[in-house]
């Protein structure tokens, strides 16, 4: 082990590899335990002891993952899988701070009993009563599972909460009875200090309180426009409480402690305790935990008077975090945080062709010194953003170089803002007033600077980066500091080039796509994407409005980002209802639209006056006032409704109806047309109605889908874009009965989730994203 | 087969490294690898009998240009890159155990070459209280305490007191150094040093102005002989 700078490096490496493999493979418990015992016995043989120790950490990781995956049969997770809705008398203990989300109070509830039987696991509980942390309550409650994501590549809230060990949600049906209280002093301390800090911040920072809450106590709920702005400016790292923040905090506190106590031992131990408490206040997020553990280890190294090795400290903190929760390894925050520090420690010092040595800097003139400082900082942030690109591109599909310039001013500013805000919080109000004034000036400048940086052009979105690319880049990143020791210039250069080429690949889309139609699940709302061979992308309708849970941002954006679709060739808005044009504003602002297709009727509506503002001059507006054809390289779209002779007072009946032809595959998109529209189509465009797949009209309402129309279309497959529980009672029973003949070939968004049809023109595959069904249609006719 | 030694978890996370070259060192080595440790030699040849500096052609230029008040000054080592790294770690990274280690080496040097006559008291060059609080300790005191313990000499940590705050000597020229420290020291009235031999301890001997100033204070109060012992001679 002498070859490594520290024994923790190989140990952590094998531990992490163990965790990764263990979450893919499952090895029976007894084999793992048997191997560990065998390895411990083998470790008495001196020659192979080192290898055996490293190997045993590999298996210990398996053991740890197996333990964490073990779920008891009476766990709420299991109960909610068997029965999705539970309405029973429950007993539970509130284990988190009670927060108010604007409508109701909510907190984490640790279940104790359901119907008198013992249960385990936590749920998120919302209520109106005045409860506090630690209260043990009894009530009759309605418990429910969180919905898994039903759209391809969209954010999975249920999975996200399961990560936080919350397995469901619930609310009381009857009055809540508080039986007793069971509080841990430490947690009460954390909660009280946090709410004291929150109140103090809200009281003193006014309009900036949301921002200060995010950077001081890690509460990111009220960030609104900051998040987007800083992300575009390449400054999102400022919002994560991490090394910079904890570092400044510990410097301030250590100074105070040093003044109070003569004994350095004591002040260091106190500082570690303060930092741990601070991590608890921030809710143990990976980045703050990492920073706190690393600084604590550094302080410990000072106490035992050893020179610390930064890589060893980094590895140890990763080891400690994953011991407590191996799942954290897969959290984005942890990966970002550790990769960033890894780059800072290992890769940045390696590439310093333009960086001068310390004794060379002393000789420079003052101006050159400043220039050198600026160049070094810019160079460092460029290297960090490039090396972090695999992580940001894989998870956020973004790549940002605006930070190179933005960080120059933003980091000094934030190093001013942080201590200032600490001072403002600590001081009594009559003194703090003076500081608040200077704080506001700094913040205004920061605000100005981030606005400016956000408007720089080097922010790239919608980049495609698949898991293989991600995997290869990470391996390359780790290998860079290792190959340094071989002293082979050619090999080093080759690997670096490989790394950059791998990233550059994401900027050009090389993958060829088969013809695909994706019917997104946006509850009651239409949104269908047609892709063919990479260049022809058509979006029919844009889903429900902003306030809805399945707005474009939450239902389809993930798919667009993952696939690297930032440009849409055609957007067709069928008619002027907000469950059809809801996402248009967002799309027009954030993506490139080549052609926007709508009826002349739509353009008469007030909403168009509003939306018009977001249409840039690159967008060509196509107005439909008669039957027309939109032909692309691979498929033909016939707009068969409304023609120039048709007019109806009901907006629904003015919907654009599209008949799509891709070789043998024919799809009919009927918008929201009702009986009258269907009748008109039957009389006038009878020949164009036949289709293999029918997008059923008006979300399965009984006002459309007449029997004659269905007979004429004679679909083999159909999709209803509606949820199962809504105020319109869509889909109506009568309609469903009419489509009974389709059997399993009827897909409903509320049951099946999104539906994706891939086709080569002769056959098709139907894939659903909630019910996870796959249906093959070997022959289309 | 060797006996199974329990692993010290601190060794895993903070492995012992050589403070000079950075490679990992064995458990029997201390602070330096054997290679770097062997680059340190006691300063036992070619030294000036009075000021302990390097003698050139049988004469000492430093002694000729200065009028040193102490009777004898000696250093255990000549300052080289390894030693200056060690002293830097000791002074500025709070590695007091490293200081003790160097003190033991210095005590061994004294035992081996026995440069001084009978010594009654051993005392460190004082550091101003504010500075002690900033640094956390007085580096000379750590050294003198350990040397005193090793050589069985009574250690008086507060015999000499710093009366006023002086700038750090390291950044000053020789002339300014003397000016800087004159009248900076006073004596603790608690101790009687009449006709006693006193050994002053410091980490590095550069121009000798600090110890010279202390020496004048001591001699004015009736001390018989004053010796100076430092780890390194610049």
């Amino acid at each position: 082990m002498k070859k490594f700078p520290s024994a923790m490096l190989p140990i952590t490496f094998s531990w992490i590899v163990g965790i990764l493999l263990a979450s893919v493979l499952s090895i029976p418990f007894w084999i793992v335990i048997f191997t560990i015992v065998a390895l411990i016995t083998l470790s008495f043989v001196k020659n192979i002891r080192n290898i055996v120790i490293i190997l045993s950490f590999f298996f210990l990781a398996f053991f740890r993952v197996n333990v964490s995956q073990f779920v008891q049969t009476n766990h709420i997770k299991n109960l909610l899988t068997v029965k999705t809705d539970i309405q029973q008398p429950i007993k539970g203990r509130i284990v988190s701070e009670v927060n108010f989300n604007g409508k109701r109070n909510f907190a984490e509830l640790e279940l104790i009993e359901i119907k008198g039987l013992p249960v385990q696991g936590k749920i998120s509980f919302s209520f109106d009563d005045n409860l506090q942390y630690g209260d043990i309550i009894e009530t009759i409650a309605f418990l429910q599972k969180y919905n898994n994501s039903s759209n391809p590549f969209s954010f999975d809230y249920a999975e996200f909460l399961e990560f936080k060990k919350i397995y469901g949600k619930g609310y009381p049906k009857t009055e809540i009875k508080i039986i007793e209280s069971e509080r841990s002093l430490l947690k009460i301390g954390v909660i009280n200090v946090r709410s004291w800090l929150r109140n103090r911040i809200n009281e003193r920072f006014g309009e900036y309180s949301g921002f200060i809450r995010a950077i001081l106590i890690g509460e990111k709920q009220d960030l609104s426009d900051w998040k987007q702005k800083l992300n575009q400016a390449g400054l999102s790292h400022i919002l994560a409480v991490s090394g910079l923040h904890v570092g400044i905090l510990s410097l301030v506190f250590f100074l105070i402690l040093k003044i109070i106590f003569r004994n350095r031992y004591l002040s260091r131990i106190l500082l570690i305790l303060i930092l741990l408490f601070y991590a608890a206040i921030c809710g143990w997020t990976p980045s703050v935990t990492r920073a706190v553990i690393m600084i604590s280890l550094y302080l410990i190294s000072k106490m035992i008077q050893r020179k610390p090795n930064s890589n060893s400290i980094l590895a140890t903190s990763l080891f400690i975090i994953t011991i407590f929760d191996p799942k954290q390894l897969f959290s984005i925050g942890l990966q970002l945080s550790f990769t960033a520090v890894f780059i800072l420690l290992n890769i940045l010092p390696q590439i310093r062709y333009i960086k001068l040595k310390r004794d060379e800097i002393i000789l420079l003139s003052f101006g050159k010194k400043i220039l050198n400082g600026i160049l070094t900082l810019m160079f460092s942030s460029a290297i960090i953003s490039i090396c972090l690109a695999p992580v940001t591109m894989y998870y956020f599909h973004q790549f940002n170089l605006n930070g190179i310039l933005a960080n120059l001013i933003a980091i000094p500013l934030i190093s001013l803002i942080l201590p200032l805000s600490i001072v403002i919080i600590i001081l009594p109000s009559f003194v703090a007033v003076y500081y608040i004034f200077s704080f506001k000036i700094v913040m205004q400048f920061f605000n100005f600077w981030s606005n400016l940086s956000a408007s720089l052009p080097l922010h790239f979105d919608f980049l495609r980066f698949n898991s293989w690319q991600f995997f290869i880049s990470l391996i390359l990143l780790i290998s860079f500091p290792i190959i340094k020791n071989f002293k082979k210039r050619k090999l080093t250069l080759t690997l670096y080039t490989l790394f950059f080429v791998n990233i550059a690949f994401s900027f050009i889309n090389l993958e060829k796509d088969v013809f695909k139609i994706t019917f997104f699940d946006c509850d009651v709302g239409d949104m269908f994407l047609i892709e063919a061979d990479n260049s022809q992308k058509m979006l029919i309708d844009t889903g429900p409005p902003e306030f809805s849970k399945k707005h474009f941002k939450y239902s389809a954006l993930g798919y667009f980002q993952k696939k690297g679709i930032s440009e849409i060739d055609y957007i067709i808005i069928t008619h002027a209802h907000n469950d059809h044009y809801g996402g248009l504003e967002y799309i027009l602002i954030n993506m490139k639209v080549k052609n926007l297709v709508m009826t002349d009727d739509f353009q008469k509506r007030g909403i168009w006056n509003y939306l018009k503002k977001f249409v840039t001059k690159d967008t060509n507006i196509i107005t439909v006032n008669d039957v027309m054809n939109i032909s692309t390289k691979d498929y033909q779209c016939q707009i068969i409704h409304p023609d120039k002779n048709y007019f109806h007072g009901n907006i629904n009946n003015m919907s654009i109806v599209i008949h799509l032809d891709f070789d043998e595959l024919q799809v009919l998109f009927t918008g929201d047309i009702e009986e009258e529209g269907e009748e008109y189509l039957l009389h006038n465009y009878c020949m164009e109605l036949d289709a293999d797949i029918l997008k059923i009209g008006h979300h399965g309402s009984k006002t459309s889908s007449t029997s004659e129309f269905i007979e004429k279309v004679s679909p083999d497959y159909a999709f209803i874009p509606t949820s199962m529980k809504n105020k319109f009672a869509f889909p109506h029973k009568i309609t469903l009965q009419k489509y009974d003949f389709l059997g399993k070939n009827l897909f409903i968004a509320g049951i099946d989730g999104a539906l994706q049809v891939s086709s080569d023109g002769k056959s098709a595959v139907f894939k659903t994203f909630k019910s996870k069904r796959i249906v093959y249609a070997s022959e289309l006719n | 087969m060797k006996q199974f030694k329990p692993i010290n978890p601190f060794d895993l996370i903070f492995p012992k490294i050589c403070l000079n070259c950075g490679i990992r060192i064995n458990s029997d080595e201390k602070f330096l690898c054997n290679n770097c440790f062997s680059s340190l030699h006691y300063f036992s040849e070619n030294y000036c009998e009075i000021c302990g500096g390097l003698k050139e052609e049988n004469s000492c230029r430093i002694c000729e240009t200065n009028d040193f008040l102490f009777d004898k000054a000696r250093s255990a080592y000549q300052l080289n890159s390894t030693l200056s790294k060690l002293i830097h770690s000791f002074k500025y990274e709070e590695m007091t155990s490293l200081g003790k280690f160097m003190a033991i080496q210095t005590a061994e040097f004294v035992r081996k070459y026995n440069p001084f006559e009978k010594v009654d008291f051993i005392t460190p060059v004082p550091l101003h209280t504010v500075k002690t609080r900033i640094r956390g300790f007085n580096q000379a005191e750590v050294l003198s305490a350990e040397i005193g313990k090793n050589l069985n000499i009574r250690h008086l940590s507060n015999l000499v007191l710093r009366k006023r705050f002086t700038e750090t000597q390291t950044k000053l020229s020789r002339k300014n150094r003397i000016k800087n420290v004159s009248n900076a020291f006073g004596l603790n009235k608690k101790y009687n040093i009449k006709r006693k031999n006193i050994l002053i301890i410091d980490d590095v001997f550069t121009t000798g102005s600090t110890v010279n100033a202390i020496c004048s204070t001591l001699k004015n109060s009736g001390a018989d002989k004053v010796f100076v012992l430092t780890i390194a001679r610049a």
Side-chain angles (χ1 to χ4, degrees):
Chain A
M1 288 213 203
K2 276 274 148 65
K3 281 178 191 162
F4 298 99
S6 151
M8 277 318 280
L9 297 185
I11 287 175
T12 312
F13 186 75
S14 80
W15 169 264
I16 294 301
V17 172
I19 290 178
L20 286 175
L21 280 181
S23 30
V24 184
L25 305 170
S26 64
I27 297 182
F29 214 57
W30 63 270
I31 294 185
V32 175
I33 292 178
F34 181 78
T35 329
I36 292 172
V37 172
L39 284 171
I40 289 173
T41 335
L42 268 176
S43 73
F44 284 95
V45 185
K46 198 179 169 264
N47 296 343
I48 53 166
R49 187 185 297 161
N50 287 341
I51 298 167
V52 167
I53 288 174
I54 291 172
L55 253 180
S56 55
F57 274 95
F58 179 78
F59 284 97
L60 280 171
F62 266 88
F63 179 73
R64 181 66 190 88
V65 173
N66 278 0
V67 168
S68 72
Q69 279 173 349
F70 182 72
V71 180
Q72 251 132 353
T73 42
N74 66 348
H75 198 280
I76 187 70
K77 186 184 173 187
N78 285 344
L79 298 182
L80 284 175
T81 332
V82 180
K83 204 165 173 280
T84 46
D85 304 337
I86 298 175
Q87 189 170 341
Q88 292 289 358
I90 61 155
K91 185 175 164 191
R93 177 168 166 257
I94 301 212
V95 288
S96 79
E97 190 185 359
V98 177
N99 286 308
F100 184 68
N101 67 357
K103 285 181 205 152
R104 305 186 91 178
N105 290 325
F106 65 98
E108 286 172 23
L109 183 76
E110 172 108 57
L111 291 169
I112 301 169
E113 283 174 3
I114 292 181
K115 220 174 144 189
L117 297 169
V119 184
Q120 283 174 330
K122 272 192 297 190
I123 58 162
S124 166
F125 199 62
S126 52
F127 48 87
D128 296 318
D129 310 50
N130 190 17
L131 299 179
Q132 272 180 331
Y133 156 71
D135 288 345
I136 296 179
I137 55 165
E138 259 184 357
T139 180
I140 294 175
F142 183 75
L143 307 181
Q144 209 178 6
K145 220 178 135 178
Y146 275 102
N147 287 331
N148 274 90
S149 102
S150 55
N151 283 302
F153 305 123
S154 72
F155 178 68
D156 198 320
Y157 195 56
E159 212 170 74
F160 169 74
L161 285 175
E162 202 169 299
F163 211 87
K164 293 182 156 187
K165 300 200 168 60
I166 293 171
Y167 298 97
K169 57 185 169 184
Y171 56 87
K173 280 278 183 180
T174 58
E175 207 181 328
I176 295 176
K177 224 166 52 189
I178 302 173
I179 310 171
E180 54 181 322
S181 284
E182 192 187 306
R183 304 187 164 110
S184 95
L185 261 178
L186 205 64
K187 201 153 183 181
I188 277 224
V190 169
I191 288 173
N192 285 341
V193 172
R194 190 196 291 139
S195 66
W196 180 82
L197 279 171
R198 187 187 300 132
N199 291 337
R200 196 90 167 193
I201 291 171
N202 285 345
E203 211 172 274
R204 297 199 170 169
F205 291 93
E207 52 183 317
Y208 299 117
S209 58
F211 180 77
I212 295 297
R213 276 219 306 280
I215 63 170
L216 273 188
I217 52 178
E219 285 187 353
K220 298 188 188 165
Q221 291 91 327
D222 301 334
L223 271 172
S224 52
D225 52 332
W226 276 104
K227 220 174 188 170
Q228 170 79 9
K229 187 165 67 186
L230 291 182
N231 187 25
Q232 287 227 333
L235 295 172
S236 39
H237 59 96
I238 279 172
L239 286 180
V241 182
S242 64
L244 184 72
H245 305 59
V246 181
I248 291 174
L249 207 78
S250 38
L251 278 180
V252 173
F253 274 105
F254 196 43
L255 191 71
I256 296 170
L257 286 170
K258 271 202 294 198
I259 292 169
I260 300 172
F261 301 105
R262 184 180 285 273
N263 191 336
R264 293 284 160 100
Y265 237 81
L266 183 67
S267 23
R268 290 210 168 98
I269 287 174
L270 284 176
L271 183 59
I272 291 177
L273 292 178
I274 288 173
L275 288 178
L276 288 175
F277 192 75
Y278 178 66
I281 287 175
C282 291
W284 297 107
T285 54
S287 59
V288 77
T289 313
R290 192 220 83 226
V292 164
I293 292 179
M294 281 184 77
I295 292 179
S296 300
L297 285 173
Y298 173 78
L299 291 169
I300 290 172
S301 86
K302 285 274 157 197
M303 287 197 287
I304 62 164
Q305 308 206 348
R306 295 266 177 94
K307 271 232 161 126
N309 176 306
S310 18
N311 271 323
S312 166
I313 288 183
L314 184 71
T316 311
S317 62
L318 181 59
F319 186 66
I320 292 172
I321 291 176
T322 42
I323 281 178
F324 281 102
D325 188 1
K327 253 190 180 175
Q328 284 292 338
L329 189 62
F330 302 97
S331 90
I332 304 170
L334 181 133
Q335 292 182 6
L336 265 176
S337 182
F338 275 91
T339 327
V341 179
F342 180 82
I343 294 162
L344 215 64
L345 293 178
N346 294 299
I347 293 174
L348 207 56
Q350 246 192 82
I351 326 169
R352 45 159 63 150
Y353 293 117
I354 62 160
K355 209 177 164 189
L356 295 172
K357 282 184 187 135
R358 188 175 288 169
D359 38 339
E360 289 170 317
I361 293 174
I362 297 170
L363 299 174
L364 295 173
S365 67
F366 182 70
K368 276 189 181 165
K369 252 184 215 170
I370 299 253
L371 190 71
N372 178 65
I374 289 174
L375 280 178
T376 313
L377 196 62
M378 282 174 78
F379 184 69
S380 314
S381 60
I383 294 294
I384 291 178
S385 28
I386 290 171
C387 292
L388 264 185
V391 187
T392 59
M393 278 159 79
Y394 182 65
Y395 290 110
F396 309 120
H397 316 284
Q398 289 172 349
F399 177 59
N400 194 306
L401 286 177
N402 288 343
I404 298 174
L405 217 67
N407 278 324
L408 270 184
I409 305 280
I411 288 188
L413 278 182
I414 205 76
S415 326
L416 211 66
I417 290 170
L418 271 171
L420 245 179
S421 50
I422 296 173
V423 164
I424 292 172
I425 289 172
I426 292 172
L427 287 179
S429 61
F430 62 91
V431 193
V433 173
Y434 302 102
Y435 287 96
I436 287 172
F437 179 68
S438 42
F439 170 82
K440 285 203 167 147
I441 292 172
V442 180
M443 259 329 264
Q444 264 165 20
F445 187 54
F446 182 74
N447 200 358
F448 163 76
W449 180 254
S450 41
N451 277 334
L452 189 79
S453 321
S455 62
L456 293 174
L458 290 175
H459 177 81
F460 305 98
D461 209 340
F462 297 101
L463 297 172
R464 205 179 231 206
F465 205 70
N466 61 33
S467 23
W468 276 110
Q469 279 175 298
F470 182 54
F471 187 65
I472 291 169
S473 328
L474 283 193
I475 287 187
L476 282 173
L477 264 187
I478 295 171
S479 72
F480 289 151
I482 298 169
I483 52 166
K484 185 185 72 180
N485 299 332
F486 299 155
K487 296 208 166 80
K488 284 189 178 153
R489 237 185 122 77
K490 268 188 190 163
L491 180 73
T492 318
L493 273 177
T494 324
L495 289 187
Y496 272 100
T497 327
L498 243 166
F499 183 80
F500 289 119
V501 166
N502 192 11
I503 289 173
F505 259 127
S506 307
F507 288 84
I508 2 166
N509 262 340
L510 288 179
E511 281 174 63
K512 288 224 165 186
D513 276 322
V514 290
F515 179 82
K516 249 185 240 150
I517 307 175
T518 312
F519 299 79
F520 289 100
D521 166 27
C522 6
D523 288 345
V524 181
D526 280 19
M527 177 155 44
F528 318 112
L529 176 71
I530 300 152
E531 301 163 80
D533 197 17
N534 245 330
S535 59
Q536 310 293 339
K537 297 194 171 58
M538 180 183 280
L539 188 64
I540 300 177
D541 282 338
T542 55
E546 186 106 30
F547 55 78
S548 122
K549 266 188 209 162
K550 296 214 172 144
H551 176 68
F552 178 81
K553 271 192 282 187
Y554 316 117
S555 51
L557 183 62
Y559 184 81
F560 280 74
Q561 287 178 322
K562 185 84 188 173
K563 290 293 208 162
I565 305 172
S566 58
E567 211 180 272
I568 305 170
D569 299 77
Y570 292 95
I571 291 187
I572 301 176
I573 305 291
T574 56
H575 67 288
H577 276 155
N578 69 0
D579 54 338
H580 292 253
Y581 65 74
L584 188 59
E585 181 184 335
Y586 182 88
I587 295 171
L588 285 172
I589 293 171
N590 292 288
M591 296 158 88
K592 233 179 167 179
V593 181
K594 281 191 185 160
N595 299 290
L596 185 57
V597 185
M598 69 198 76
T599 57
D600 47 357
D601 183 63
F602 186 87
Q603 293 177 2
K604 283 176 204 148
R605 310 275 160 187
I607 183 66
W608 175 238
N609 278 330
Y610 174 73
L611 286 172
K612 217 160 47 175
K613 287 182 284 186
F614 304 104
V615 180
T616 57
K617 57 176 185 292
D618 304 325
T619 307
N620 177 31
I621 292 174
I622 299 174
T623 312
V624 179
N625 35 30
D626 196 6
V627 178
M628 66 182 288
N629 253 325
I630 296 175
S631 286
T632 69
K633 209 166 67 190
D634 299 280
Y635 56 90
Q636 283 80 47
C637 267
Q638 267 184 295
I639 294 179
I640 53 175
H641 187 78
D643 69 7
K644 60 176 184 268
N645 301 320
Y646 186 79
F647 180 79
H648 200 274
N650 183 346
I651 295 182
N652 283 341
N653 277 325
M654 294 304 287
S655 291
I656 290 177
V657 176
I658 301 150
H659 188 264
L660 181 133
D661 272 88
F662 173 70
D663 210 346
E664 306 266 295
L665 180 71
Q666 295 180 316
V667 191
L668 189 68
F669 296 94
T670 54
D672 274 2
I673 55 162
E674 301 189 14
E675 264 176 64
E676 299 84 358
E678 287 176 357
E679 210 171 303
Y680 186 79
L681 279 171
L682 277 173
H683 286 173
N684 297 289
Y685 299 95
C686 183
M687 301 306 291
E688 277 87 17
L689 289 181
D690 181 51
D692 304 301
I693 305 169
L694 170 67
K695 197 292 290 183
I696 291 172
H698 204 191
H699 318 285
S701 158
K702 60 189 171 200
T703 54
S704 24
S705 298
T706 55
S707 304
E708 297 81 29
F709 187 73
I710 298 171
E711 204 175 300
K712 196 70 219 168
V713 178
S714 67
D716 299 323
Y717 305 89
F719 180 79
I720 310 180
T722 177
S723 59
M724 294 311 282
K725 278 176 193 162
N726 52 64
K727 58 182 175 187
F728 312 104
F730 294 151
H732 290 150
K733 246 187 194 155
I734 307 166
T735 319
L736 287 180
Q737 276 165 7
K738 285 182 190 163
Y739 288 104
D740 249 357
F741 70 96
L742 287 171
K744 287 199 162 179
N745 293 343
L746 175 68
F747 303 93
I748 303 173
I751 296 170
D752 296 292
L755 167 72
Q756 192 166 52
V757 185
S758 332
S759 170
D760 57 357
K762 305 271 180 284
S763 61
V765 185
F766 295 75
K767 196 173 154 195
T768 65
F769 287 86
K770 189 175 175 189
S771 55
K772 313 252 181 233
R773 279 159 60 192
I774 294 181
V775 178
Y776 295 95
S778 51
E779 248 176 76
L780 298 166
N781 36 34
Chain B
M1 201 171 102
K2 245 190 188 172
Q3 276 227 310
F4 192 85
K5 265 193 282 177
I7 302 168
N8 179 359
F10 288 132
D11 282 345
L12 287 178
I13 304 169
F14 314 109
K16 286 182 179 171
I17 55 163
C18 169
L19 293 180
N20 185 41
C21 59
I23 64 160
R24 302 252 320 253
I25 53 174
N26 292 320
S27 50
D28 54 329
E29 294 165 317
K30 269 189 159 180
F31 302 106
L32 290 175
C33 63
N34 286 334
N35 210 0
C36 291
F37 187 67
S38 63
S39 75
L40 297 177
H41 303 288
Y42 282 139
F43 190 15
S44 58
E45 282 166 1
N46 251 340
Y47 58 89
C48 166
E49 280 293 335
I50 298 164
C51 74
L54 195 64
K55 216 156 64 173
E56 290 163 17
E57 296 163 7
N58 291 328
S59 67
C60 176
R61 280 179 56 202
I62 305 161
C63 286
E64 282 165 12
T65 49
N66 284 283
D67 42 347
F68 286 135
L69 297 169
F70 47 79
D71 296 79
K72 210 181 215 180
R74 288 299 301 275
S75 304
Y77 301 98
Q78 271 190 291
L79 195 66
N80 59 9
S81 66
T82 313
L83 202 58
S84 61
K85 268 186 198 168
L86 289 189
I87 289 173
H88 191 276
S89 304
F90 164 47
K91 275 167 81 172
Y92 301 109
E93 293 171 27
E94 293 185 37
M95 294 183 79
T96 48
S97 60
L98 172 61
K100 282 179 185 160
F101 169 74
M102 289 192 291
I104 290 167
Q105 301 299 320
T106 313
E108 199 139 291
F109 166 80
V110 175
R111 221 178 281 128
K112 196 169 170 190
Y113 297 100
N114 210 5
F116 311 117
E117 298 147 43
K118 181 184 152 285
V119 177
D120 297 304
F121 299 133
I122 185 164
T123 187
V125 170
L127 198 64
H128 195 270
T129 331
V130 174
K131 224 153 168 213
T132 316
R133 280 303 286 278
I134 292 170
R135 187 171 290 173
F137 59 97
N138 175 1
Q139 77 274 14
E141 194 182 324
V142 172
L143 293 172
S144 65
E146 192 65 27
I147 293 173
K149 203 171 85 186
N150 263 269
L151 297 176
N152 248 333
I153 306 171
R154 190 161 170 223
H155 173 239
L156 303 176
S157 63
N158 50 358
L159 175 60
V160 188
L161 305 169
R162 210 172 259 259
K163 285 196 296 195
R164 60 184 174 83
F165 188 80
T166 53
E167 280 179 66
T168 178
Q169 293 279 75
T170 45
K171 283 172 191 160
L172 297 175
S173 70
R174 208 178 74 93
K175 212 173 166 186
N176 287 338
R177 281 184 181 210
I178 297 170
K179 211 172 129 191
N180 191 22
V181 291
S182 61
N183 289 326
F185 301 102
L187 272 192
N188 195 336
K189 297 267 153 51
K190 220 162 62 179
Y191 305 107
N192 181 15
I193 55 161
K194 288 238 158 63
R195 287 184 297 282
K196 297 281 193 220
N197 292 354
I198 293 162
L199 177 60
I200 306 168
I201 306 286
D202 202 357
D203 51 349
V204 187
F205 187 109
T206 318
T207 59
S209 38
T210 315
V211 280
N212 220 22
I214 296 172
C215 200
S216 82
T217 329
L218 287 172
K219 289 236 164 155
N220 284 343
S221 302
D224 186 17
K225 277 183 177 163
V226 179
F227 309 119
V228 179
L229 177 63
T230 65
I231 300 172
R233 174 75 193 212

